[in-house]
Amino acid sequence: MSATSAAVAAFVTNFDLAVLLRRNAHDPYLAWRLFKELASSSPCYALSASAVSVISGIVARARMLPELEHLHRLLFLHPSPSTSASLTALARSCAAFGFHDLALSHLRSLRSLPASPPPPPLLYNSLLRSFLRSNRPDLVQILYRDLLLLGASPDVQTLNILMRALCDCGLLMDALRVLEKMPKKGSQPNEFSFGILIHGYCRAGLSDQALELLEGMGPRGCTPNLVIFNTLIAGFCREGKIHKAEYLVERMRENGLLPNVVTFNARISALCKSGKVLDAYRIFRDMKEDNGDLCLPRPNQITYNLVLGGFCKEGLVEEARALVDEMRRDGYFLMLESYNIWLSGLVRNGRLLEARNLIEQMRKDGFKPNIYSYNILIHGLCKQGMVSAARFMMGLMKNSGILPDVSTYSSLLHGYCSKGMVKAANRILHEMATNECFPNSFTCNILLQSLWKEGRTWEAGVLLQKMNEKGYGLDVVSCNIVVYGLCQSGKLDKAVEIVSGMWLHGSAALGELGNAFLSLVDDRNGSSKCYPDLITYSILINGLCKAGRLIEAKKKLLEMLGKGIAPDAVIYETFLHGFCKHGKISSAFKVLRDMEKKGCQPSTGTYNLLIWGLGRKNQLSAIYNLIGEMREKGVALDSVSYNNLIQAFCEGGMIDRAASLLDEMVKSGILPKFDSIRMLIKAFCNAGDFEVAQGVFRTGLASFGEKEALYGLLCNELCINGKVLDAKELFQAALDRGFAIGNFSYKCLIEELCKGDRVDDAYSLLIAMVNRGSLFDPATFMPVIDAFVKGGNKREADKLSETMMEMAAHFDDESCRTVSLPESNNFQPKTSSHSQKDSKIDDWRTLLHRDDGSGIVLKVLKRVQKGWGQGSIPTSQLCNLDLDD
């Protein structure tokens, strides 16, 4: 024994070694040297279970793998009665810090000790938990099989860990069998056993099966706790089954459990995700305002953030702003996450200046914006084409000490590519490499999609070649982008060729596009593994169906089935659309039945395609049967369903049935489409039933508000169908409301009024349009001028002529003022021809050269030219009007 070792041994004989090692844990190497010196002088003392437990934890935390292996050798060089316990402690430390293979090796060593009892179940449970925390459910199953080979009886904790691992692997049926085989005595399941399995089913979207497990807890002597109820409620909320979630909330109360804030947050989150943010807000207000009568929990930070995110997602910016103010008052706007949610909401809704100011406000409030904050704003700026502003923001980010990441550069790349600025995109790539922020496959695909979309395949090839030189090969997403571009550009044969080639050559099949893509082929990048997937076939089949090549599309379906790729609802609906578009309704129904046989349940969208197809063939009785089938299967109709039905019944002459559908959807709380309102108004006006048309118009106002497109629609139809006075009143109401006149056939209306000897009414409308500052087709004046001249009222005719010529002086340079309508709520009316400047100019010039025998136009213009001395009309304008004698 050396003098140093003897001194160390003498010191620790009167001091607990485990305590000494803990005091030196901050310096793992010093602790190890101390332990090693003592182990060489007094191995029996140093290799005790307590000392080994401490030193193994210290060196494992410090990732000192050679020292762990040396400790293992020491235990076998100096066997003692405590060797088994020391090996157990060493195995647990290795597992706890991620040395899983080493932990299993120590376990095998423990089992190989002569005359040693089997490893204790506590060791197995400890190892199982460590493997599970490290997301290694495969090792859990291996260890469990090892435990069974020893003939040991696992306890309930071991079985619970096993079920957790099986659920993590998606092996729910295996986990269920473990639960069912748990004995009624000894290792009988507890509430944690059921909770683990219920969580697994809910996470897999099988909440109904999880509810059945809840029902089976009673017979096994288990009572569901608050966590289990919350798990189920959250599962049903995620699946959109709000009514079942509400049922469970009531059941909780019946079991004596009060819903907590987690319960309510699950409901609020589900409502916000499904777009029912106002319903979520009502729950939030109830929670906030409850004075104890309803025993509701108070909202927490998560609750506020969920509602704020819901408002932002639905575009309710002012409501979100009010909530932010409320959060500030209540002390809940104190997290960077809340700022980022509000920042994302502002960007999502185009409030980029406010978002920029919020970044500054964050600093003033003591919150340093993180990389995610800056990326939100940079992405929003690039999406709006404001790439220069995004670059400036990135400069501010750098000045704040935050380096751009791949997401930052990807946004800029997308922005430059969308503007066709390939050189700037190249500079971004160079800057990324300079800053050691290497592009990934996602960046590569952004470039490919942007350039391929613009048809700049050669430039895409050059850029991708540079990416490939850096080691980023093409993946299936890249190939899908190319296949989509080929389908969109009508090069279906080349797309088919590439998809077939992918099975043999992977991404090397893109070499068929030309030499620019040949250099992208690199087996080192895994091109041979780049096989077509479900999305690849969806893109190709959709392109073939749109082109009417249905037989080839069916062959591709058979090909993907042969490759083991199961079709989804998108592919089935692609075939449905293709068959319906080409009038092959019977084939479409065969697809529907095959879809059901394969376990792919038809959705509302599926049935909408069939309704549309049947309507095109005027098969109204079949539509009735299909609606009955939808209701029998619990498939709800949506606004598209009703729109297709209304169109079919209107075109089939059953307009009363179409009107009843409008009433039905309004009562169901479904917002109608503008197309539905348009079709019904036109149908009833054409049928002469103007009273019902007025009722439909009022329904439209209730749904969309006071929109000029609605007024223009009814006004035009009334005018066309001879109800000129009613059209005049409606147009006057529109003018009183300050509406733009672009959606109105005002010229036709004034002509019809003049033809019906209602010149005064036509004149009043004309003056009202002039007085409100509208710039409209100067030809609109002529019917009134004609009428005045024929009636001998030349003075008023001259006044109108002067006004007409003043307007004509500006008409070639300006277009009528129109108000852009919001595109929300499916309100997207078609633009009237009267809002198109070119057509108005044509009308005006055509009128100047008309020959109706009266010569009124040229006479008036000559008189105006002579009398006014061209003071109000530019000479160039008169030349344009060809007013030569």
Side-chain angles (χ1 to χ4, degrees):
M1 181 186 297
S2 65
T4 304
S5 299
V8 171
F11 175 75
V12 298
T13 50
N14 296 317
F15 202 88
D16 184 79
L17 177 59
V19 174
L20 185 63
L21 292 171
R22 287 193 187 96
R23 288 185 176 180
N24 291 277
H26 64 281
D27 189 344
Y29 292 97
L30 175 63
W32 172 252
R33 287 197 299 271
L34 178 64
F35 174 82
K36 188 178 177 182
E37 288 291 337
L38 185 60
S40 63
S41 60
S42 181
C44 293
Y45 181 74
L47 297 175
S48 65
S50 60
V52 170
S53 177
V54 174
I55 192 61
S56 62
I58 292 172
V59 295
R61 182 182 290 107
R63 318 298 297 175
M64 297 164 64
L65 182 59
E67 286 73 10
L68 285 172
E69 293 174 344
H70 184 71
L71 180 57
H72 182 248
R73 289 194 296 269
L74 284 176
L75 290 174
F76 277 89
L77 285 173
H78 305 285
S80 69
S82 65
T83 299
S84 176
S86 298
L87 271 174
T88 299
L90 178 59
R92 293 181 66 179
S93 295
C94 289
F97 291 99
F99 296 102
H100 302 125
D101 294 333
L102 201 56
L104 288 175
S105 175
H106 297 332
L107 179 63
R108 285 191 289 269
S109 299
L110 183 60
R111 289 171 52 189
S112 67
L113 289 176
S116 175
L122 285 176
L123 172 60
Y124 277 97
N125 290 346
S126 177
L127 294 179
L128 288 168
R129 288 193 190 92
S130 298
F131 295 160
L132 199 57
R133 280 196 298 269
S134 301
N135 197 26
R136 292 295 304 273
D138 55 324
L139 292 180
V140 173
Q141 297 181 66
I142 292 172
L143 198 59
Y144 179 72
R145 285 194 292 269
D146 186 71
L147 177 62
L148 294 180
L149 287 174
L150 288 176
S153 298
D155 59 13
V156 65
Q157 293 184 21
T158 308
L159 294 173
N160 284 348
I161 296 171
L162 175 63
M163 284 198 299
R164 172 77 179 275
L166 291 170
C167 289
D168 287 350
C169 292
L171 302 172
L172 298 176
M173 293 305 298
D174 292 338
L176 181 60
R177 279 192 286 270
V178 171
L179 179 70
E180 291 172 345
K181 290 180 179 180
M182 292 175 76
K184 295 184 179 179
K185 294 183 179 180
S187 297
Q188 68 268 27
N190 53 24
E191 65 271 19
F192 298 106
S193 311
F194 282 96
I196 290 167
L197 198 52
I198 286 171
H199 179 268
Y201 273 98
C202 288
R203 189 172 61 178
L206 302 171
S207 298
D208 287 314
Q209 289 87 324
L211 184 58
E212 294 176 7
L213 286 169
L214 177 70
E215 305 296 347
M217 292 183 68
R220 301 295 291 268
C222 297
T223 303
N225 55 27
L226 186 62
V227 175
I228 290 176
F229 272 110
N230 282 342
T231 302
L232 273 167
I233 290 168
F236 280 122
C237 287
R238 281 194 298 270
E239 295 173 28
K241 301 174 180 177
I242 308 297
H243 61 288
K244 290 191 176 182
E246 299 294 342
Y247 155 75
L248 283 170
V249 172
E250 294 304 317
R251 184 165 171 178
M252 286 176 67
R253 299 181 190 275
E254 293 171 3
N255 288 18
L257 298 171
L258 288 177
N260 61 6
V261 69
V262 176
T263 315
F264 279 84
N265 284 349
R267 297 165 67 193
I268 289 173
S269 176
L271 289 168
C272 289
K273 287 179 180 177
S274 62
K276 300 178 180 178
V277 65
L278 296 180
D279 292 336
Y281 183 68
R282 279 192 285 271
I283 295 176
F284 168 77
R285 297 310 311 177
D286 290 341
M287 294 171 65
K288 194 164 187 277
E289 296 172 0
D290 181 37
N291 54 11
D293 296 338
L294 301 176
C295 299
L296 301 181
R298 304 292 294 175
N300 61 9
Q301 181 72 55
I302 296 174
T303 319
Y304 278 95
N305 286 347
L306 286 171
V307 178
L308 177 60
F311 279 143
C312 292
K313 178 185 173 185
E314 295 303 315
L316 302 173
V317 181
E318 296 309 316
E319 288 79 357
R321 192 190 313 281
L323 183 61
V324 167
D325 294 338
E326 186 176 330
M327 291 173 71
R328 291 183 187 277
R329 290 194 303 269
D330 296 345
Y332 283 102
F333 206 67
L334 299 174
M335 291 180 63
L336 185 59
E337 180 185 0
S338 303
Y339 279 95
N340 284 340
I341 291 172
W342 179 219
L343 181 68
S344 179
L346 290 171
V347 171
R348 178 196 291 265
N349 293 282
R351 309 292 182 90
L352 297 176
L353 180 59
E354 293 181 61
R356 172 68 180 83
N357 294 336
L358 182 61
I359 292 282
E360 294 298 324
Q361 186 63 44
M362 290 168 71
R363 294 195 187 94
K364 292 178 182 178
D365 293 344
F367 291 91
K368 184 179 180 181
N370 58 10
I371 183 69
Y372 180 64
S373 311
Y374 283 106
N375 282 346
I376 289 172
L377 185 53
I378 289 172
H379 177 74
L381 290 168
C382 290
K383 193 174 181 181
Q384 295 294 324
M386 304 169 66
V387 190
S388 299
R391 288 284 288 180
F392 177 76
M393 184 55 58
M394 189 172 76
L396 293 180
M397 180 174 70
K398 290 179 180 179
N399 294 337
S400 301
I402 301 175
L403 294 177
D405 61 4
V406 174
S407 178
T408 317
Y409 285 115
S410 295
S411 295
L412 287 168
L413 279 168
H414 188 273
Y416 281 124
C417 287
S418 63
K419 295 172 75 70
M421 301 171 68
V422 180
K423 291 184 179 179
N426 269 315
R427 288 196 295 271
I428 291 293
L429 283 177
H430 178 72
E431 184 177 333
M432 291 180 74
T434 303
N435 294 334
E436 296 185 353
C437 180
F438 298 108
N440 54 22
S441 296
F442 177 72
T443 313
C444 170
N445 290 332
I446 288 175
L447 291 168
L448 179 62
Q449 184 175 25
S450 299
L451 293 170
W452 191 265
K453 184 179 179 182
E454 296 179 8
R456 306 170 73 160
T457 54
W458 183 84
E459 291 168 334
V462 172
L463 285 170
L464 287 173
Q465 182 178 352
K466 292 181 180 179
M467 301 288 293
N468 198 63
E469 290 169 357
K470 297 294 184 181
Y472 296 98
L474 296 179
D475 56 11
V476 67
V477 177
S478 313
C479 295
N480 288 344
I481 292 170
V482 173
V483 171
Y484 178 78
L486 290 170
C487 290
Q488 289 295 102
S489 59
K491 300 176 181 177
L492 287 170
D493 293 332
K494 182 62 69 175
V496 171
E497 184 180 352
I498 287 176
V499 172
S500 299
M502 286 173 66
W503 286 112
L504 297 174
H505 309 295
S507 62
L510 294 184
E512 299 293 334
L513 291 171
N515 294 331
F517 286 86
L518 289 175
S519 60
L520 299 174
V521 179
D522 188 350
D523 290 336
R524 292 173 301 173
N525 292 329
S527 64
S528 59
K529 298 179 182 178
C530 184
Y531 299 135
D533 60 5
L534 179 63
I535 296 175
T536 315
Y537 278 102
S538 296
I539 294 168
L540 187 58
I541 289 173
N542 182 59
L544 291 170
C545 286
K546 280 186 175 179
R549 297 164 63 170
L550 300 173
I551 295 176
E552 293 177 69
K554 285 194 284 186
K555 288 180 180 179
K556 286 300 166 185
L557 176 64
L558 294 175
E559 179 181 302
M560 65 181 288
L561 289 171
K563 298 292 186 180
I565 303 175
D568 62 355
V570 174
I571 288 185
Y572 281 115
E573 289 178 2
T574 299
F575 276 104
L576 280 171
H577 184 269
F579 284 127
C580 290
K581 180 181 178 181
H582 293 90
K584 299 182 178 181
I585 302 299
S586 59
S587 297
F589 272 92
K590 287 179 183 177
V591 172
L592 176 68
R593 302 312 169 202
D594 186 60
M595 183 179 181
E596 293 172 328
K597 288 178 184 177
K598 294 294 192 303
C600 189
Q601 294 302 317
S603 65
T604 302
T606 310
Y607 284 102
N608 286 346
L609 289 170
L610 288 167
I611 293 171
W612 172 73
L614 290 170
R616 295 184 74 199
K617 301 286 285 187
N618 200 26
Q619 297 183 14
L620 302 183
S621 59
I623 290 178
Y624 277 114
N625 295 334
L626 198 62
I627 296 172
E629 180 179 324
M630 290 178 67
R631 287 173 173 159
E632 183 180 334
K633 293 181 178 179
V635 181
L637 281 75
D638 62 8
S639 61
V640 177
S641 312
Y642 281 105
N643 192 68
N644 290 345
L645 288 169
I646 289 170
Q647 181 178 2
F649 288 125
C650 284
E651 292 176 354
M654 301 176 63
I655 57 177
D656 290 334
R657 174 60 179 150
S660 66
L661 286 170
L662 180 65
D663 293 336
E664 181 181 315
M665 69 186 300
V666 170
K667 290 177 183 177
S668 301
I670 300 174
L671 186 68
K673 284 180 161 294
F674 185 81
D675 277 348
S676 301
I677 301 295
R678 179 182 56 79
M679 286 185 290
L680 285 169
I681 288 178
K682 288 177 73 70
F684 280 107
C685 284
N686 289 338
D689 199 339
F690 300 105
E691 185 176 347
V692 178
Q694 291 275 4
V696 175
F697 170 72
R698 288 190 291 271
T699 301
L701 292 179
S703 301
F704 304 116
E706 298 277 340
K707 302 294 183 183
E708 59 262 31
L710 282 169
Y711 279 83
L713 172 64
L714 182 58
C715 178
N716 297 341
E717 290 302 318
L718 290 172
C719 184
I720 291 171
N721 289 279
K723 302 292 287 185
V724 181
L725 292 181
D726 292 339
K728 180 257 178 185
E729 292 180 5
L730 200 62
F731 184 54
Q732 185 64 60
L735 292 174
D736 293 341
R737 286 165 172 77
F739 291 158
I741 61 175
N743 289 298
F744 294 84
S745 299
Y746 51 84
K747 187 159 66 72
C748 175
L749 175 59
I750 288 178
E751 286 177 355
E752 292 300 318
L753 286 169
C754 291
K755 288 178 183 178
D757 294 329
R758 308 287 301 194
V759 180
D760 291 340
D761 289 330
Y763 177 74
S764 65
L765 286 181
L766 200 58
I767 295 304
M769 292 164 65
V770 171
N771 289 341
R772 69 191 301 272
S774 299
L775 182 62
F776 53 89
D777 184 0
T780 311
F781 287 86
M782 289 313 304
V784 182
I785 293 174
D786 283 347
F788 280 154
V789 171
K790 289 178 181 178
N793 194 348
K794 293 186 178 181
R795 183 177 179 182
E796 290 298 332
D798 285 348
K799 287 182 180 179
L800 279 184
S801 300
E802 182 178 358
T803 306
M804 177 180 66
M805 297 308 300
E806 289 174 350
M807 186 171 292
H810 304 286
F811 190 67
D812 279 342
D813 299 322
E814 297 184 38
S815 60
C816 289
R817 302 169 191 169
T818 56
V819 179
S820 299
L821 299 177
E823 296 184 359
S824 59
N825 298 326
N826 298 317
F827 187 77
Q828 298 176 356
K830 297 180 179 179
T831 304
S832 168
S833 62
H834 285 270
S835 65
Q836 303 298 322
K837 178 190 168 200
D838 291 341
S839 65
K840 292 194 185 98
I841 294 175
D842 291 341
D843 288 346
W844 166 238
R845 288 176 175 163
T846 300
L847 181 64
L848 290 175
H849 298 283
R850 77 178 184 181
D851 184 11
D852 58 0
S854 65
I856 289 176
V857 178
L858 291 179
K859 292 177 182 177
V860 168
L861 294 182
K862 288 177 182 177
R863 187 168 63 251
V864 169
Q865 184 181 9
K866 292 177 181 177
W868 297 332
Q870 303 175 10
S872 301
I873 310 173
T875 304
S876 59
Q877 186 71 30
L878 285 172
C879 293
N880 289 336
L881 296 179
D882 294 327
L883 298 181
D884 296 331
D885 290 334

